[in-house]
Amino acid sequence: MATWDRDLWKLWPLVVMAFVVLIAGYAGYWPSIPLSLNRFGKNALRPEGAATPQLVEWLAQQESSGRRTVSADHYSVIDISSAAIPGLNSAALTRPQLTRVGSRFYCQWQMQNLADSASPVAIYGAWSTDGQRWSEPQLVFSHEGEPASKQILASAAFLSIQDEVYSVAAVQEIMGYSTSDATTFSEPKSTENSAEFPRAVREIVGYFVRRVQSDGSLGPRITLLRQSDEGFSVADAMRGIEIVDQPLIPDIVRQLATPESRYGGKMEFPVPEIETEDRYRLGYPTSVAIPNNRLLRLWVSEQGLDRLYGQVSPDNGITWEKPILTNIRNEGRFAVLGTLPSGAIFLIGNQLRGAGEIADPLTIALAFENLQFTECFELRRGAPTRRRTQEPADRRDAVAQMGFQVGACLVNGAEVWIIYSVNAESIEVCRVRLRDLAPALAQSELTKETAESR
């Protein structure tokens, strides 16, 4: 055998190693490639193969034969067939929020042109004395700058300060454009919208805040903007806006800020996204207090993975452990955590996956001990057919609007109230009486009493 043949033969282990690396990368294990873009990434992350943390996991039945329903009442807040808002029939109604102000319920949602994800967003609200019959919608926040300001509003959770309730909208600014698979708050790759870079990426630059009066009316708008060396970053979009209630601004900023953010002379608002070790971008967090001064936070994958990630703070939100993939499914974009008076943790979302990409059914799951969700009830099944023929320009936005998308919830005495959107064509609320969850709650109390007697 020639000398060069023998030298080449000695290299066969390197050839084998290179082949293995190429196969691993194609199958979804090459570090530089996000799993959601790999050929086998999603198949490798099927629910029965998930790496489940010990803290939070799903143990309820997934099969249709084991599904249970709970009696729930559903009431309409707004529908695209209404003539109450101009242009309603061509708008998407999303991101609903819910709270209670004295003896009144108050909700808000955002409305945006269905075919243009970069169009101005308006925030509307409605009031009710019983949660069943709702007032005509009222404009709460709107885009008041020049279109070139690229300012977008997003409906945010209500604030409670000194026994007063405040409506909130996040002010987001389009920082540039990226590829179609980019996430909401990723780094822009271009300053211009194009076929190569069609997706707008954003940054939170401030908040609009308004007090909700006891009679449902709204106080003046407070404008809180992050400052730069040149002044307010979106000053041109805020001309003529008066900042009122000056003494309350520090309290409002403290509630809007997180332990990781800073506020003061230069306010900074953290990006509501994080990245995991397996290269997923996570968004739309929901959190709940758990024993020993800890918080549990669940995240939804921005890249469409049908699984929730869990993250724990050991010090009430000051620091957070790394997010870990759970085996909790969620077909919709949003999920909401909460606590019942009995102490049980509940999760509202779309945990019992239906056929296709529609977020259906709407469910409530209960965890009694060790954050193991052992009970799950259907609140509503059978999403109606979409009435509009037009679709959002972005396919991911279209999927995210289909079916029942939960927005927020509140526990009001012996009832849980949930607000959600239906195909982005209507906003509805759901009432669940705690006594209708009694079989599961009673079993939990019996188990606790048995354990204490031992």
Side-chain angles (χ1 to χ4, degrees):
M1 183 180 293
T3 301
W4 66 271
D5 287 339
R6 288 196 300 268
D7 292 340
L8 185 62
W9 179 252
K10 292 178 182 179
L11 296 177
W12 73 267
L14 295 179
V15 175
V16 173
M17 181 177 296
F19 180 78
V20 170
V21 168
L22 288 174
I23 293 299
Y26 183 73
Y29 298 102
W30 188 243
S32 64
I33 305 176
L35 289 179
S36 62
L37 304 181
N38 284 321
R39 173 65 179 84
F40 301 115
K42 290 193 176 182
N43 292 337
L45 293 174
R46 59 188 185 278
E48 61 269 23
T52 306
Q54 294 182 352
L55 178 68
V56 54
E57 61 180 329
W58 184 267
L59 298 178
Q61 290 288 334
Q62 294 281 6
E63 296 77 14
S64 58
S65 60
R67 292 176 179 173
R68 304 163 65 184
T69 60
V70 64
S71 176
D73 302 314
H74 301 268
Y75 308 102
S76 176
V77 177
I78 186 70
D79 185 275
I80 61 168
S81 62
S82 171
I85 304 175
L88 188 60
N89 189 53
S90 61
L93 311 178
T94 57
R95 301 287 292 271
Q97 304 292 333
L98 180 67
T99 191
R100 195 175 184 200
V101 184
S103 61
R104 290 174 178 251
F105 292 89
Y106 175 74
C107 71
Q108 70 176 34
W109 62 91
Q110 67 185 46
M111 170 178 154
Q112 185 177 30
N113 186 297
L114 186 69
D116 184 3
S117 60
S119 64
V121 174
I123 310 295
Y124 282 85
W127 295 263
S128 172
T129 56
D130 56 10
Q132 303 176 35
R133 293 169 293 274
W134 291 83
S135 67
E136 289 293 307
Q138 176 178 343
L139 182 64
V140 182
F141 300 112
S142 65
H143 173 91
E144 297 191 15
E146 298 297 327
S149 67
K150 299 181 179 180
Q151 176 198 123
I152 295 178
L153 303 183
S155 177
F158 293 96
L159 292 179
S160 178
I161 302 172
Q162 299 179 9
D163 297 325
E164 297 283 355
V165 176
Y166 292 80
S167 177
V168 180
V171 182
Q172 302 176 358
E173 191 172 64
I174 297 177
M175 309 306 294
Y177 299 87
S178 188
T179 55
S180 58
D181 60 345
T183 56
T184 306
F185 298 97
S186 57
E187 291 294 325
K189 296 183 178 180
S190 173
T191 57
E192 300 295 331
N193 189 323
S194 65
E196 183 180 4
F197 302 110
R199 187 167 181 83
V201 294
R202 314 174 190 177
E203 180 178 353
I204 294 180
V205 296
Y207 292 90
F208 289 160
V209 184
R210 297 187 76 173
R211 179 187 286 130
V212 181
Q213 311 287 7
S214 59
D215 62 355
S217 61
L218 295 167
R221 187 171 83 182
I222 302 170
T223 302
L224 299 171
L225 295 176
R226 185 192 60 205
Q227 289 179 310
S228 65
D229 293 337
E230 296 78 24
F232 291 124
S233 62
V234 287
D236 289 342
M238 305 297 168
R239 291 194 299 270
I241 303 301
E242 179 185 5
I243 299 180
V244 298
D245 295 332
Q246 294 283 352
L248 282 177
I249 289 179
D251 291 329
I252 292 173
V253 173
R254 288 188 184 95
Q255 289 210 30
L256 290 171
T258 70
E260 299 98 332
S261 66
R262 298 190 299 275
Y263 54 88
K266 293 185 178 181
M267 294 187 296
E268 295 185 4
F269 302 107
V271 172
E273 280 187 356
I274 58 174
E275 186 171 335
T276 70
E277 290 184 343
D278 50 358
R279 303 171 305 285
Y280 276 100
R281 294 288 290 179
L282 307 179
Y284 311 106
T286 178
S287 61
V288 69
I290 56 178
N292 301 321
N293 200 37
R294 296 178 300 164
L295 293 178
L296 168 68
R297 186 160 63 181
L298 294 180
W299 296 83
V300 176
S301 166
E302 274 268 13
Q303 287 131 323
L305 177 66
D306 181 22
R307 285 303 199 45
L308 297 178
Y309 277 74
Q311 188 181 31
V312 175
S313 170
D315 46 23
N316 201 31
I318 298 176
T319 61
W320 291 89
E321 299 173 358
K322 66 179 182 181
I324 301 175
L325 179 67
T326 75
N327 67 339
I328 302 177
R329 310 175 79 168
N330 195 65
E331 180 66 10
R333 172 171 281 187
F334 305 100
V336 177
L337 284 167
T339 306
L340 295 177
S342 65
I345 303 296
F346 64 84
L347 174 65
I348 301 170
N350 310 101
Q351 276 61 65
L352 298 180
R353 182 175 181 171
E357 298 177 313
I358 297 177
D360 184 11
L362 180 68
T363 62
I364 180 170
L366 302 176
F368 302 106
E369 296 181 4
N370 301 322
L371 286 176
Q372 295 178 334
F373 288 94
T374 56
E375 304 282 348
C376 185
F377 300 88
E378 292 183 0
L379 298 171
R380 184 173 175 183
R381 169 177 286 277
T385 303
R386 292 184 64 132
R387 287 171 284 172
R388 292 180 297 212
T389 57
Q390 68 267 44
E391 292 281 347
D394 190 303
R395 175 58 184 161
R396 285 189 299 172
D397 288 341
V399 172
Q401 293 173 11
M402 294 169 67
F404 307 117
Q405 298 279 352
V406 64
C409 68
L410 64 88
V411 178
N412 179 41
E415 301 170 335
V416 178
W417 288 82
I418 303 153
I419 190 166
Y420 61 98
S421 63
V422 182
N423 292 332
E425 296 178 333
S426 66
I427 301 296
E428 302 188 25
V429 294
C430 168
R431 177 179 62 180
V432 183
R433 296 176 178 84
L434 296 185
R435 68 169 183 263
D436 293 325
L437 297 174
L441 296 175
Q443 182 61 40
S444 172
E445 293 299 322
L446 179 60
T447 302
K448 183 175 16 175
E449 292 175 1
T450 302
E452 292 174 351
S453 64
R454 292 177 179 175

